[in-house]
Amino acid sequence: FGVDEELHQAGLWHLLNYAYHLGQDLPRLETEFENAAYLNRPLTQTIAKQPELFRGKAVIINAKAATAFTIAAEENPLGLPFISHAYLSKYELDDQLLRVVGPGGEIFDNHGLDRELLGYFLQLWAYVDTKDQPRRTPVFVVAGWRPRILQEPLIEGQITFIFVGIAVSLGILLTWLARKDKRQSQDLAQSLLQRRQSRRQKK
């Protein structure tokens, strides 16, 4: 990813400390992110304009890992042997990547769209990409993740309901028509039988 600048170390370790201990308390972790905003293009643009207002704010991130790696941590207050890093891609952000950091090793390996990362905004990070273009991207410190629940689109559910309704209605209609046809056939046969019997009696 080219030449980059160092992350703000004091802020990074403050959030890593908070994220590490929060990740050990899953009920509290879920509660903390219950009303957190989902990261999307508008929120990313807002963060870019006023990053100071979002430092330490909880954000839910749904994106896949473009690359992930683990590095050995230097001596640190938490005694962590490893720190995980990843660059995430999100379809609505085009070629802009997100950077995430987490306490521990191999946190983001095989991370895909089936998970939601629960993290805190740290800073905007400036770097120069491999095409010598200056770039900025938000950096988040991740406390944990949860499975992503894919909700069925309302229109899809409505279409399914409509088709089921049509199928049931057709079934009822066909059953009614079959019974009606059977009754008419029986009435016709009975009428023909009566006519024949009437003719025989006249002879």
Side-chain angles (χ1 to χ4, degrees), residues 31-44 46-47 54 57-62 90 116-121 140 146:
T31 299
E32 184 125 348
F33 284 86
E34 186 175 2
N35 299 313
Y38 279 84
L39 187 70
N40 52 24
R41 181 186 289 273
L43 180 56
T44 303
T46 303
I47 290 175
F54 289 89
K57 296 292 185 182
V59 177
I60 302 172
I61 307 168
N62 180 235
K90 189 172 177 63
E116 294 177 342
L117 294 178
L118 311 177
Y120 298 91
F121 174 67
F140 301 90
R146 66 190 180 192

Side-chain angles (χ1 to χ4, degrees), residues 96-110:
Q96 179 181 3
L97 296 174
L98 307 170
R99 183 174 178 180
V100 290
V101 184
E106 302 179 351
I107 294 176
F108 308 114
D109 289 10
N110 302 316

Side-chain angles (χ1 to χ4, degrees), residues 8-201:
H8 187 278
Q9 292 300 301
L12 173 63
W13 281 104
H14 174 77
L15 283 180
L16 280 173
N17 178 54
Y18 188 78
Y20 175 78
H21 289 96
L22 183 62
Q24 310 303 309
D25 188 346
L26 296 183
R28 184 182 164 207
L29 176 67
E30 186 63 31
T31 299
E32 184 125 348
F33 284 86
E34 186 175 2
N35 299 313
Y38 279 84
L39 187 70
N40 52 24
R41 181 186 289 273
L43 180 56
T44 303
Q45 293 172 339
T46 303
I47 290 175
K49 293 177 181 177
Q50 295 180 302
E52 65 280 357
L53 297 181
F54 289 89
R55 290 196 179 102
K57 296 292 185 182
V59 177
I60 302 172
I61 307 168
N62 180 235
K64 63 181 180 179
T67 183
F69 54 95
T70 297
I71 64 173
E74 298 179 359
E75 185 176 352
N76 59 81
L78 294 177
L80 292 176
F82 300 103
I83 301 177
S84 292
H85 294 258
Y87 297 94
L88 310 179
S89 65
K90 189 172 177 63
Y91 72 94
E92 65 178 300
L93 299 180
D94 301 322
D95 64 342
Q96 179 181 3
L97 296 174
L98 307 170
R99 183 174 178 180
V100 290
V101 184
E106 302 179 351
I107 294 176
F108 308 114
D109 289 10
N110 302 316
H111 174 73
L113 296 177
D114 58 334
R115 298 178 179 182
E116 294 177 342
L117 294 178
L118 311 177
Y120 298 91
F121 174 67
L122 171 63
Q123 68 179 87
L124 289 179
W125 177 60
Y127 69 100
V128 179
D129 65 20
T130 54
K131 297 180 181 179
D132 293 328
Q133 296 296 317
R135 307 293 295 265
R136 285 197 314 169
T137 190
V139 180
F140 301 90
V141 175
V142 173
W145 62 271
R146 66 190 180 192
R148 183 187 181 197
I149 301 176
L150 297 175
Q151 296 183 347
E152 182 184 28
L154 182 59
I155 186 66
E156 183 178 336
Q158 291 175 337
I159 290 174
T160 302
F161 179 77
I162 290 172
F163 274 111
V164 170
I166 291 175
V168 172
S169 300
L170 284 175
I172 294 174
L173 177 61
L174 290 174
T175 302
W176 179 78
L177 288 175
R179 290 180 178 177
K180 181 180 180 182
D181 183 65
K182 183 178 181 181
R183 285 198 302 268
Q184 289 178 340
S185 298
Q186 291 174 342
D187 292 343
L188 180 60
Q190 183 67 27
S191 176
L192 290 174
L193 179 61
Q194 290 176 351
R195 289 180 183 178
R196 290 174 183 174
Q197 290 176 346
S198 177
R199 288 174 183 174
R200 290 175 182 173
Q201 291 175 357

